[in-house]
Amino acid sequence: MRLRLYNRASPIHTLGPFNRYGIWVQGCSRRCDGCITPEGQPLDGGYEMEVEELCREILREPGLEGITISGGEPYLQAEALAELIEMLRLSADLGVIVYTGNLYEQIREERLTGLCDAIIDGPYMKDRDDNKSLRGSDNQRLILLTDRYKGLIPFGTINRQTEKFVSSEGFTALVGVPPKCTEEERQWQMEVSLIE
Ligand code: SF4
């Protein structure tokens, strides 16, 4: 089974607690105004990777507490992601946080949902961007599905944090939910990030 990915980075610290492996899947049809990853929207963009290969790569990373899956829309590749999580948990006790544009009520019966410790749900709504931590807008909710992250995710309570990650291919990415800014400031940030 294969996944279509936009990016991956590890360790990251701005999309959940502790050291995490970040996976951004490729493809989303929602087209939210102000989406921070428009390059992740085309369903045929990004690159493909075997689930087994990604599993081996994650297990090689030292000191991980868990993974965070974002996108793109993870539920467009829900079966392959469920496969990945089940494969990982045969060898390691890793926590799972998933960002989705769906509402929890729409995905509560999915196999992938049953494997998550926490879900942050709902589409990005530009006019409800409150500049708060770990969410794009205040319509989004943190749904704890196990006790694993109880009291450990400062969701919507502090300022946003980001970190820069340089991939092995030299690609610079801003990881985390970026602070609210104007379109001009966003363009400037992207240009700086490409130059550096
Ligand atoms: S759901 Fe997320 S990835 Fe999809 S368009 Fe909206 S902000 Fe972008």
Side-chain angles (χ1 to χ4, degrees):
M1 201 173 258
R2 293 167 84 80
L3 274 164
R4 184 168 283 278
L5 302 176
Y6 166 60
N7 201 5
R8 54 195 210 281
S10 179
I12 63 167
H13 313 91
T14 50
L15 288 173
F18 311 116
N19 288 344
R20 316 193 67 78
Y21 189 104
I23 300 169
W24 289 262
V25 295
Q26 177 73 34
C28 180
S29 313
R30 209 163 260 111
R31 306 280 186 272
C32 304
D33 183 20
C35 169
I36 59 164
T37 53
E39 313 84 354
Q41 290 181 7
L43 299 176
D44 57 355
Y47 59 95
E48 287 193 315
M49 191 171 184
E50 288 289 341
V51 168
E52 268 186 36
E53 188 189 347
L54 180 56
C55 178
R56 281 196 298 273
E57 182 177 282
I58 295 170
L59 292 174
R60 276 198 301 269
E61 286 287 309
L64 289 182
E65 189 279 334
I67 65 173
T68 294
I69 303 169
S70 184
E73 173 49 62
Y75 277 83
L76 290 180
Q77 302 186 63
E79 281 306 298
L81 289 170
E83 197 78 16
L84 172 69
I85 296 166
E86 286 184 346
M87 210 178 276
L88 285 168
R89 285 185 171 155
L90 292 176
S91 306
D93 174 29
L94 293 174
V96 176
I97 299 174
V98 170
Y99 279 81
T100 174
N102 292 294
L103 296 178
Y104 172 65
E105 291 74 10
Q106 298 169 309
I107 50 163
R108 66 191 315 160
E109 305 299 336
E110 298 251 359
R111 176 176 163 220
L112 174 59
T113 306
L115 295 165
C116 295
D117 294 288
I119 283 181
I120 290 146
D121 82 338
Y124 173 63
M125 298 174 81
K126 198 176 177 180
D127 58 348
R128 292 185 62 173
D129 187 334
D130 63 352
N131 212 18
K132 291 294 182 189
S133 49
L134 293 164
R135 67 185 181 200
S137 47
D138 71 1
N139 59 299
Q140 296 172 330
R141 301 171 294 178
L142 169 65
I143 316 277
L144 293 178
L145 298 164
T146 70
D147 285 341
R148 184 172 185 125
Y149 294 123
K150 204 171 171 186
L152 292 174
I153 302 180
F155 182 78
T157 56
I158 57 173
N159 290 334
R160 292 179 181 168
Q161 293 179 326
T162 55
E163 59 193 316
K164 269 196 184 145
F165 184 86
V166 183
S167 72
S168 50
E169 296 84 31
F171 180 87
T172 304
L174 200 62
V175 174
V177 183
K180 189 176 178 180
C181 59
T182 62
E183 206 51 52
E184 290 76 33
E185 287 169 331
R186 174 89 64 229
Q187 274 312 114
W188 183 81
Q189 277 180 358
M190 285 172 69
E191 279 162 23
V192 168
S193 139
L194 286 172
I195 290 164
E196 284 176 347

